[in-house]
Amino acid sequence: MIKPIKVTITGAAGHIGYALAFRVASGEMFGPDQPVILRLLEIPQALSSLNGVGMELEDCALPLLHDIVLTDDPGIGFRETDYAILIGAKARGKGMERKDLISDNAKIFSAQGKAINDHASGDVRVLVVGNPANTNALIAAANAPDLENKQFTAMTRLDHNRALGQLANKTNKLVADITRMTIWGNHSMTQYPDISNCRIGGASALELVTRDWAIDHFIPRIQRRGGEIIEARGLSSAASAADAVVDHVRDWALGTPDGDWVSMSVRSDGSYGVSEDVVFSFPVTCKAGEYEIVQGLELDDLSQARLKASEKELLEERAIIQELL
Ligand code: NAX
């Protein structure tokens, strides 16, 4: 029998967690032959709701789901886990300043980094989704001294997928025809969705759309897409966020297709002149649980300025939570 993969999802009773758990359990993340054990971690106030999620998972009778653990104890939630998906975070309350949101979440992610360090598998792979995702990943990794920075990532795959969708719409092509999309920077308004390396069915994207469209319409639309969804639905992205989690972890674990890359927020190694002090979204290729930042891409002055703006924002976020690093 194939050994089950243990997957921890924090905030599993929340909107994204609810959309995600069933997809992981049905085999979409690791393939149709790979059993999984779900460890769902919540705060005490959400345990009743989490029990309901557990009951529904049971009621699906999913053959790949070998066990479900429901808990509010991080020591149990992260025990020997192979993949930790950190979604649970504090939402921005009314009148709350961004600085306070960053500080409050920093406490959650420093505690979870420690718990992952102490209880998870030594080979654990961590994906941070809860915002501010890049800085939370930085904090979690800093509080896990026995693990490597390369084991911690943050999610910009939703932005990447949004960008693929918009470019496919504009060019009347299929998403599957587009390769080499890149999201640079922070998962925030300063992110830089970059189509300059995109290929669409053998042609350069810039032969099919104008730079003006990219600058005036495409980039701001991707940067503001989260807000657009909230305005339309009255709720933030959940199913698409869960879908991006599946894509991010699947590609990290099983590999990216030849000739293509994906966007992942990872600890900078100085590539493209980005400070090594931040977790930054880069184009990466993946193979068997390891990623490599794609090297050698040309960045014009405008692109470099956008990378700098996002780096500056991340360094400011870092300064707010400095004492937890
Ligand atoms: P919800 O408020 O629906 O769910 C969050 C859940 O986390 C709640 O059930 C809560 O009880 C739980 N929780 C809070 N603190 C916890 C802790 N310390 N341990 C375990 N569980 C805890 O939010 P949802 O819509 O699911 O969004 C979750 C997070 O994802 C938010 O921070 C949101 O901003 C972020 N997002 C990040 C995205 C990305 O691309 N990186 C996109 C989607 C989303 O906006």
Side-chain angles (χ1 to χ4, degrees):
M1 193 185 75
I2 304 173
K3 193 173 166 233
I5 291 179
K6 299 187 189 75
V7 183
T8 301
I9 302 175
T10 75
H15 290 104
I16 300 172
Y18 183 73
L20 175 66
F22 298 86
R23 298 189 60 180
V24 178
S26 67
E28 285 187 51
M29 192 172 261
F30 299 108
D33 300 320
Q34 176 60 59
V36 292
I37 291 173
L38 283 182
R39 298 182 161 268
L40 306 183
L41 179 65
E42 261 292 352
I43 50 175
Q45 304 89 297
L47 276 183
S48 162
S49 170
L50 186 68
N51 273 328
V53 177
M55 286 189 255
E56 281 201 74
L57 280 163
E58 270 175 18
D59 294 350
C60 293
L62 296 161
L64 291 174
L65 183 56
H66 282 207
D67 195 12
I68 312 168
V69 177
L70 308 174
T71 183
D72 62 356
D73 179 346
I76 296 172
F78 292 119
R79 184 177 297 161
E80 292 170 6
T81 203
D82 301 301
Y83 288 87
I85 302 168
L86 310 186
I87 301 172
K90 190 164 174 180
R92 191 167 188 162
K94 233 184 174 173
M96 193 174 181
E97 293 215 8
R98 187 176 141 80
K99 191 168 169 287
D100 298 329
L101 180 78
I102 293 173
S103 305
D104 282 3
N105 277 302
K107 289 174 201 134
I108 294 176
F109 288 85
S110 64
Q112 290 188 349
K114 288 189 183 88
I116 290 169
N117 186 73
D118 294 348
H119 300 284
S121 152
D123 284 329
V124 66
R125 297 289 183 271
V126 182
L127 167 60
V128 177
V129 176
N131 279 317
N134 295 54
T135 295
N136 290 338
L138 184 78
I139 296 163
N143 285 276
D146 301 336
L147 303 174
E148 290 181 39
N149 280 326
K150 281 198 99 172
Q151 293 172 257
F152 290 79
T153 62
M155 192 167 90
T156 29
R157 185 60 176 264
L158 178 54
D159 309 292
H160 179 103
N161 287 348
R162 285 167 172 165
L164 289 174
Q166 292 306 312
L167 186 59
N169 276 351
K170 176 69 182 173
T171 55
N172 230 349
K173 303 282 184 191
L174 298 174
V175 161
D177 295 331
I178 306 175
T179 56
R180 304 187 177 193
M181 178 63 75
T182 307
I183 304 292
W184 302 93
N186 196 3
H187 170 67
S188 75
M189 292 286 285
T190 68
Q191 68 172 270
Y192 172 36
D194 176 13
I195 61 166
S196 58
N197 300 290
C198 282
R199 311 285 304 168
I200 309 183
S204 161
L206 290 172
E207 290 168 29
L208 302 175
V209 298
T210 62
R211 270 184 201 278
D212 283 353
W213 173 78
I215 292 168
D216 297 337
H217 297 280
F218 170 77
I219 295 172
R221 183 134 202 223
I222 304 308
Q223 290 170 330
R224 294 187 194 130
R225 184 66 161 184
E228 201 182 336
I229 302 284
I230 292 173
E231 212 169 287
R233 243 171 55 89
L235 290 166
S236 61
S237 312
S240 55
D243 183 72
V245 171
V246 171
D247 286 351
H248 178 117
V249 176
R250 183 201 58 227
D251 288 349
W252 193 6
L254 305 180
T256 43
D258 283 345
D260 199 5
W261 63 64
V262 295
S263 305
M264 271 168 65
S265 286
V266 302
R267 183 65 181 257
S268 172
D269 61 356
S271 293
Y272 300 97
V274 175
S275 164
E276 293 184 25
D277 288 342
V278 297
V279 169
F280 197 89
S281 185
F282 287 102
V284 302
T285 54
C286 303
K287 199 175 173 186
E290 305 293 339
Y291 66 79
E292 296 287 341
I293 297 174
V294 175
Q295 299 296 326
L297 301 178
E298 298 276 327
L299 291 171
D300 61 16
D301 289 350
L302 185 91
S303 301
Q304 275 176 13
R306 289 186 187 271
L307 262 65
K308 277 285 155 215
S310 214
E311 178 197 58
K312 178 169 175 278
E313 181 183 48
L314 283 164
L315 288 169
E316 286 165 5
E317 288 183 11
R318 183 189 166 103
I320 295 170
I321 51 79
Q322 183 69 46
E323 77 279 3
L324 289 170
L325 296 178

